[in-house]
Structure formats: C-alpha cells, structure tokens
Amino acid sequence: MSSTMRAIGVQGGKGPATALFVDEIAKPVPAPGQALVKIKAFGLNRMDLLQREGLYPVPPQAPATIGVEFSGVVEGFGGGEPCDFKVGDEVFGLAYGGAYAEYIAVSTKMLIHKPEHLSWEEAAGVPETWITASQALFLIGDFQAGQSVLWHAGASSVSICGIQLAKAQGAKAIYATAGSQEKIDFLEKELGVTKAFNYKTEDWAAEIQKATGGTGVNLTVDFVGAPYFQGNLNVAAKDGKVVLLGFMGGAQLPDGVNIAPLLMKRIRVEGSTLRSRDEEYQRQLRDTLVSHALPRFQDGRFKVFVERVFPFEKIMEAHQLLESNTTKGKIICVIE
C-alpha cells in the first residue's frame, strides 16, 4: 500500500484560488483514538478561503491541508479504546483539517454513520454546517418551541440547515436576510421561512419590527458582524439573544452605535467558533446533530442542499464559485 496520497496544496503556502494545486504528500497514520478514512467527497466552507489566504487561525493540531468535513470509508484505526465503528463502515465527519485529500486521520468522536440514502456528496455537506447551526440554535441560543429566530445570510449553508432545525423545533416565526430576489424566493418558497428580506433594497431591521408588531425576535444568528450590530440590537425581543458567528462585513463598529438596547431589553450577545473547540465539546455537538437531525435525514424531512459538485482536480473553480457569493447550499468536491 502506498505511503503517499494526493492532496490539495497552496503554492507558496498562501494565495488566491489560482494557487491551489494537486500535491503528493505523506499519507496520514492514525493515532490512538483515530480512524483512517478513505475520502469519497469533501465540503467547502468559508473558513477554507481564509485559510488559503493565510488569514485563518488554524488550530495547532490541524494538518497543513485545508478542509474540515468529508464522507468516506473507514480503512483502519490507530488503536485505543473500542468505538462504534469498524473497517468498511461508511461514515461522514468533522476534522480539525486535512479533508482536501484522499485520506484523513480523524478522531472517532467526530465520525457519524452515513445513512444509506444519503449520497457521498450530501453526506460530505452535513458536518460543518449542520453542527454549526445546531451549536448556534441549541447550545448557545437555547432555542425553544414557540420562539422566533432571524438568520442572516439566509441562503448560506449554515442558515439553510438552521432554518430546517428551527422549523422542526416548532419555531413561531423564522425570518431571514439575503442579497437577491432569487435567494428570497428560495427561502420563502422552498424553505418556508415566514418572511425573507433583501438587505440590498430593504431596511431589514425596520421591516422585521413591522412584521413582529414591534416585539422583535427571540434569537438572531449573524455572520455579517459590525454593519448589522445595531440592527440586531434593534430587532431583539426582551431577553433576546444574538449569536455572532462571523465578520463577513467587518469587525469594527461604525460611529454612533447605540448600545442602550443591551441594557433596556436585557439582550445577550455571544460569539462562538467551532474549529478551535476541544474534541469533547465537538463530540457533544456531534451527538446533538445525531439526536436532532439524523432521524430526519433518514426519513427525508431534512434536506442537504448541494449547489454544485466538482471533481477533486477542479478545486480552483470550486473556490472561485464560493467566493462569488451566488450560491444556495453546499459546494462539494468528489475524489474518484
């Protein structure tokens, strides 16, 4: 068996999408508690773009190869305590890095048995986005039946997952923002959100206040950051929560931000990351995903939206499509 494998590298260590290339590197050797998985497909995430450009704080235990979510077949183990997996099992999972490759060594705590009816491509699009959405909604947001929620970047993969999770949890109302009429239609007609707002043509904060009769929303999940901070405070309900997951619009607050609603409405604002968390925390999130989502994948109530599938060798084009901000759902690469 070969001791090397193909993996995606970045010329010069960092750079634009055109710097991505297929490299030949050492095949990973699983440590105790890890499985060796032969990868069938992997998903793209925005953190991958930042890591490619040298702008993402990669965890120290992560390999140099980009990529955190994958699907594939277990080929072996590194020993350690018994686990719920065996050689030949079809799995999908989350890793600290290394998924843009033919093989990955990953903790068995972050593996999930792949349901038969999910394709390799669909399964590869589940871990990062559904776990992140579950984290924001349940572990941080403590979302309950009968509450309302606002998802910014509504057609992003995480929000698509979160909208489905919120509906299944019995949300009173689900709102979203997006940047095109095509995405607004997708959110309202296909995902069934209560109302979606075009942030380019509408004052989404004012419109949500109208839609809620001034009571606001119980939970807001935001990836945009500084430009939306004031609006998030304005639309928060009494004792509302704002979960901050990204800074796509920047991290420096504009002049004139009024923080009075934080006090007057007792708003809790909490930021969170996933990749930097320890294995036990990630295992807890995996178990949350398994309990909330896996049964609904199996009976078809939850759907993995895949925008486009690329062959492994077309990684440059895949990154360029993700950078275009025109997608609805996951971009997946497959390894033949």
Side-chain angles (χ1 to χ4, degrees), residues 319-331:
H319 267 231
Q320 289 172 333
L321 177 58
L322 184 57
E323 288 174 328
S324 73
N325 293 325
T326 60
T327 58
K328 305 182 298 296
K330 294 296 296 187
I331 298 172

Side-chain angles (χ1 to χ4, degrees), residues 29-47:
V29 177
Q34 290 186 328
L36 180 68
V37 177
K38 182 175 176 58
I39 292 178
K40 295 285 189 178
F42 59 83
L44 274 62
N45 294 282
R46 292 200 171 273
M47 76 177 81

Side-chain angles (χ1 to χ4, degrees), residues 148-260:
S148 56
V149 60
L150 164 63
W151 291 89
H152 288 305
S156 69
S157 296
V158 174
S159 291
I160 288 171
C161 304
I163 288 165
Q164 294 180 75
L165 286 165
K167 287 179 68 176
Q169 187 71 4
K172 176 178 68 175
I174 303 172
Y175 302 102
T177 60
S180 71
Q181 189 58 48
E182 178 187 6
K183 290 181 178 180
I184 297 295
D185 291 342
F186 166 75
L187 289 164
E188 293 182 347
K189 297 175 182 178
E190 191 155 355
L191 285 185
V193 305
T194 308
K195 182 67 177 173
F197 305 94
N198 189 328
Y199 65 84
K200 294 180 180 178
T201 61
E202 296 178 282
D203 181 343
W204 59 265
E207 292 301 319
I208 288 174
Q209 288 293 73
K210 291 179 187 175
T212 62
T215 61
V217 293
N218 300 110
L219 174 63
T220 295
V221 182
D222 181 29
F223 310 86
V224 180
Y228 281 12
F229 189 77
Q230 185 70 71
N232 290 338
L233 299 185
N234 293 346
V235 303
K238 283 260 177 79
D239 297 306
K241 301 179 184 70
V242 178
V243 178
L244 185 61
L245 297 181
F247 298 119
M248 291 173 60
Q252 190 71 38
L253 289 178
D255 291 340
V257 168
N258 176 16
I259 64 170

Side-chain angles (χ1 to χ4, degrees), residues 287-323:
D287 294 346
T288 300
L289 169 69
V290 169
S291 62
H292 281 92
L294 204 60
R296 294 180 173 92
F297 286 132
Q298 291 169 333
D299 66 19
R301 283 179 289 170
F302 281 175
K303 181 178 179 182
V304 182
F305 288 84
V306 176
E307 173 80 14
R308 190 169 169 188
V309 177
F310 288 86
F312 176 68
E313 297 81 4
K314 298 288 186 181
I315 187 65
M316 180 186 75
E317 290 91 335
H319 267 231
Q320 289 172 333
L321 177 58
L322 184 57
E323 288 174 328

Side-chain angles (χ1 to χ4, degrees), residues 78-127:
E81 296 181 2
C83 65
D84 296 329
F85 301 93
K86 64 183 185 300
V87 172
D89 280 354
E90 297 183 348
V91 297
F92 60 101
L94 189 67
Y96 287 111
Y100 284 24
E102 291 182 306
Y103 292 88
I104 190 168
V106 62
S107 170
T108 57
K109 296 175 182 177
M110 290 311 298
L111 289 179
I112 302 170
H113 290 284
K114 183 179 83 68
E116 276 188 21
H117 76 279
L118 278 185
S119 68
W120 293 117
E121 294 86 351
E122 289 171 327
V126 169

